[in-house]
Amino acid sequence: MAPSPSPSPADLAHAATPPDTLAGGSTDVADVPVVEPTGPPRTLLVWDAPNMDMSLGSLLGTRPTSAFRPRFDAVGRWLLGLAGPAGVAEATVFTNVVPGSTEIVRPWVEALRNVGFAVFAKPKSTDDSDVDEDMLAHIESRQAEGTLTHVVVASGDGRAFKEPLEELVEQGVRVTVIGFREYAAFAVASDVVAFLDLEEIEGVFREPLPRVSLDTLPPGGAWLQPLRSLRSLLDR
């Protein structure tokens, strides 16, 4: 794959995909006591950065350039509209940090925080570590507070989130999954969980994503470009 140009500070402020050094840890979910609701209804966004990064890269067949990096400011405005003037909108991003990549990751994390997102980051200790359990623990803690009315999960990981999200719906919490329809089949096919393609949120991408696939072929046909150079065969 050809390397993409380094993002500018402005791109970092809008980027919804971390550098390649970020990847999808687990944690013990502590018991959270149930308390009576004491505040306005809460709409919670939990963004699975490793999964969204992987999905976008697979969709594009390469690392995204600035034109194809999701803009967090647009996602934030959409979330505020979803919560409404009387509700609380909480935006969070979960990610792992590979040891030695701190200086690469820091600008991205600080840009997110400046937009208004909270970032949960922890070291990536093993190849199998991810942040799924941390995301679920945060959702559980907000649910225990009694004011959670709507959960938005940005992830296509049905193995981690399908059953927990369906249980939330049974408890009366509205659930929406945002992501890419090509990689969020569990939500696209669900009868209880709503799905919204990320590209349908106004202003999230500067340019339309090149989403030609076998499922979206135009009548006249289309080229599906190689995902890697043919010469890479010589390197195997």
Side-chain angles (χ1 to χ4, degrees), residues 4 31 72 91 126-127 150 172 180:
S4 58
D31 293 332
F72 265 134
T126 68
D127 291 338
H150 194 170
F180 305 103

Side-chain angles (χ1 to χ4, degrees), residues 56-175:
L56 182 58
S58 297
L59 185 67
L60 298 175
T62 185
R63 291 176 57 190
T65 63
S66 59
F68 299 128
R69 288 192 181 96
R71 297 166 57 105
F72 265 134
D73 58 338
V75 175
R77 284 190 291 269
W78 172 79
L79 187 70
L80 288 167
L82 207 60
V88 172
E90 179 186 358
T92 64
V93 173
F94 289 74
T95 194
N96 290 117
V97 181
V98 175
S101 67
T102 304
E103 294 308 312
I104 299 174
V105 175
R106 192 189 311 278
W108 176 74
V109 170
E110 293 306 307
L112 289 175
R113 297 172 66 193
N114 281 323
V115 172
F117 282 66
V119 178
F120 179 89
K122 74 178 184 181
K124 180 173 173 60
S125 56
T126 68
D127 291 338
D128 296 330
S129 66
D130 55 42
V131 290
D132 298 342
E133 291 300 325
D134 301 289
M135 295 172 66
L136 291 171
H138 187 58
I139 294 172
E140 180 181 344
S141 69
R142 289 291 184 243
Q143 168 71 342
E145 293 172 0
T147 60
L148 186 64
T149 59
H150 194 170
V151 172
V152 180
V153 175
S155 180
D157 190 348
R159 182 178 60 179
F161 295 108
K162 183 179 184 296
E163 292 186 5
L165 294 184
E166 289 176 348
E167 290 174 3
L168 277 176
V169 173
E170 293 177 357
Q171 296 168 19
V173 178
R174 182 183 173 190
V175 174

